[in-house]
Amino acid sequence: MVLRMIIGLGLTVIAFAIAGRRVWWLKRLAFTGQPAPERVEYAKDHLGTDLKTQLTEVIGQRKLLKWTVPGAAHAATFWGFIVLLLTIIEAYGALFSRTFSIPGIGQWAAIGFIEDLFATGVLAGIVTFTVIRVRNNPHKEGRPVAVSSARTPGPPGWCWP
């Protein structure tokens, strides 16, 4: 039990270091853009409208769902990862207590079913993305690979396999 906690906490420190470095890189990238004080002022004045737009376009995946198959795969993956946060919480809690469950909902069969359903949705989304990528291989079509032709530098090499 102690060894499991030490390994889990050690991996947590490593994960936070990698995530922190990525957040730092993204912050630097975001601040390379031009300031837009008028956009900030508009957002402050129209908070309700901006919030509604964010909810429908980001949470609701409205624009992506216009692309039927890829959009549905993206929505399934997006929502799957959000729902699977419950699984991550349960797994992390199990580091400290073998019988850990999220208080109030941790023992519900419906939650387990929903987690399994969304895990299957994530798997189906990733398989769909793989099939789309293989069918639309940029090398076969004589196009450059998007990542290698991007104008902004990618993340440091150690962030991705």
Side-chain angles (χ1 to χ4, degrees):
M1 180 79 169
V2 174
L3 179 63
R4 185 172 66 181
M5 281 195 297
I6 291 170
I7 292 171
L9 291 172
L11 290 173
T12 300
V13 168
I14 292 169
F16 275 120
I18 292 171
R21 186 162 169 118
R22 180 67 176 163
V23 167
W24 174 76
W25 182 85
L26 288 170
K27 178 186 170 280
R28 278 191 28 231
L29 178 65
F31 281 103
T32 61
Q34 294 292 321
E38 67 283 349
R39 172 67 187 116
V40 173
E41 200 58 44
Y42 179 86
K44 286 179 184 176
D45 294 342
H46 300 90
L47 188 61
T49 305
D50 270 12
L51 185 60
K52 180 183 174 196
T53 301
Q54 289 299 316
L55 287 174
T56 58
E57 292 188 10
V58 177
I59 304 298
Q61 302 284 295
R62 186 173 64 97
K63 286 187 178 181
L64 284 170
L65 287 174
K66 291 178 181 176
W67 298 347
T68 38
V69 174
H74 190 280
T77 304
F78 172 80
W79 278 103
F81 281 124
I82 288 179
V83 169
L84 291 175
L85 282 173
L86 295 174
T87 307
I88 293 169
I89 293 168
E90 289 174 348
Y92 202 79
L95 280 175
F96 306 99
S97 169
R98 289 187 187 275
T99 59
F100 177 82
S101 63
I102 298 172
I105 63 169
Q107 300 295 323
W108 289 358
I111 295 296
F113 172 76
I114 290 169
E115 288 173 343
D116 291 346
L117 179 68
F118 277 88
T120 304
V122 169
L123 179 62
I126 291 171
V127 167
T128 301
F129 295 140
T130 303
V131 169
I132 290 170
R133 178 65 178 188
V134 168
R135 288 182 61 200
N136 300 326
N137 186 343
H139 292 297
K140 266 199 285 190
E141 297 177 10
R143 296 184 288 127
V145 179
V147 174
S148 66
S149 63
R151 290 184 179 189
T152 57
W158 56 267
C159 282
W160 309 109

